[in-house]
Amino acid sequence: MSAASSSKPTICLVPGAYHTSVSFESLNNSLRALSHPSTAYTLPSIASSTPFSADAIADGVFIRSKLEDLIEAGKDVVLVAHSYGGIPGAAAASGLSKEKRQQQGKQGGVIGLVLISALLTKEGESCYQKLQGLDLSYTTYNENTGAVDLVPDEFVPIFFNDLSEPDAVSAASSTLRPQAMRIFMTESSRPAWAEPAFRGRCVYVRCNRDACIPTSLQDAMVKASGVEWTVEELDSGHCPFFSVPDSLAQTLVRYAKEFSKDR
């Protein structure tokens, strides 16, 4: 990594349900082409060895540990979370703003939040509450494993309706894994986006062709949050890191620069 790149805030990518760190490979490559540092993680609730106990709280604790590793090294971080990842991601960043750490005489911190077609839950709300009313027939619960599986072929038009090439669909599908059921029922912790330190530093990427979390739900969650968001429109389906990684990377870098001002 070049000195110029290392001086930029690290973009920390948190995947949604079923997705893994490999799902962000194209986006990471696009960010690398822009000389911007990024990192991605697979949540513990994905393909978990203990799915009956894996939940959103544990996912949040895991992401927080990764954030702390970065900021304790003095790095500034932009937290970017997709879909379900917005729940543990926002919880993980709570109390880690750069503003608060500066007040404590510490270096590094989270300087902004970018949530991509993400679920916005207030403290005490669950993922399941936000998904009520949606057609979830593309998923099936396995009572023996405690995990939710995606139904072959059924999930493709939901997740990848903006991917036209069969090879692209196959490559994207290969990065998906079963998701522990408990994450959908877990009551959320306090999200960082509700904290005054992140006022003016919250971006919601509205995926306007999303067949998984429709724009009506995206808009309703933004409004119900009670927080002022900068809403960025993206002409994509639910997973823009597969279909338009270059456009998404440019958007993330632009906001990373904005968040870095006066910091």
Side-chain angles (χ1 to χ4, degrees):
M1 184 183 298
S2 69
S5 179
S6 63
S7 67
K8 299 174 182 177
T10 299
I11 292 175
C12 180
L13 302 167
V14 180
Y18 313 104
H19 292 75
T20 63
S21 60
V22 182
S23 302
F24 290 125
E25 184 176 2
S26 293
L27 177 58
N28 273 321
N29 288 339
S30 295
L31 289 167
R32 194 174 300 117
L34 296 173
S35 300
H36 204 101
S38 63
T39 185
Y41 307 106
T42 297
L43 296 173
S45 63
I46 300 293
S48 173
S49 60
T50 56
F52 288 103
S53 60
D55 62 16
I57 299 299
D59 282 347
V61 170
F62 170 78
I63 292 300
R64 188 177 183 88
S65 71
K66 300 302 183 183
L67 292 176
E68 289 175 335
D69 287 345
L70 291 168
I71 64 180
E72 290 299 334
K75 296 182 181 296
D76 289 347
V77 175
V78 176
L79 179 80
V80 177
H82 172 244
S83 195
Y84 155 73
I87 296 177
S94 180
L96 295 181
S97 70
K98 183 162 185 178
E99 178 181 304
K100 182 173 182 178
R101 286 179 58 81
Q102 284 178 328
Q103 294 170 353
Q104 298 169 340
K106 299 177 180 179
Q107 299 293 313
V110 180
I111 61 172
L113 310 171
V114 181
L115 302 188
I116 304 169
S117 195
L119 295 172
L120 303 179
T121 53
K122 296 180 180 179
E123 186 173 10
E125 293 181 333
S126 70
C127 176
Y128 179 72
Q129 286 175 277
K130 296 299 181 182
L131 298 178
Q132 286 190 22
L134 298 184
D135 181 4
L136 302 178
S137 60
Y138 62 92
T139 68
T140 181
Y141 176 56
N142 188 324
E143 294 182 356
N144 295 321
T145 65
V148 180
D149 297 313
L150 294 170
V151 179
D153 298 327
E154 295 293 325
F155 74 86
V156 171
I158 303 298
F159 283 178
F160 307 136
N161 60 318
D162 56 346
L163 291 178
S164 57
E165 296 297 327
D167 286 349
V169 171
S170 178
S173 300
S174 72
T175 72
L176 306 181
R177 298 292 183 271
Q179 173 67 61
M181 176 67 171
R182 282 178 61 89
I183 64 107
F184 297 104
M185 307 303 180
T186 311
E187 291 187 356
S188 301
S189 301
R190 177 176 170 81
W193 47 257
E195 298 176 354
F198 288 104
R199 191 170 297 138
R201 296 180 173 274
C202 297
V203 174
Y204 194 94
V205 178
R206 183 182 189 267
C207 297
N208 59 22
R209 287 196 280 155
D210 197 325
C212 180
I213 301 180
T215 53
S216 58
L217 178 54
Q218 295 178 58
D219 294 344
M221 289 188 293
V222 167
K223 183 177 181 180
S225 71
V227 170
E228 184 175 348
W229 295 80
T230 298
V231 177
E232 181 78 20
E233 297 274 351
L234 199 59
D235 185 26
S236 79
H238 187 58
C239 304
F241 38 87
F242 288 125
S243 57
V244 288
D246 289 344
S247 295
L248 180 56
Q250 291 166 7
T251 297
L252 297 181
V253 169
R254 173 159 49 87
Y255 281 107
K257 290 178 179 177
E258 285 294 317
F259 296 149
S260 296
K261 292 179 179 177
D262 301 321
R263 289 286 175 176

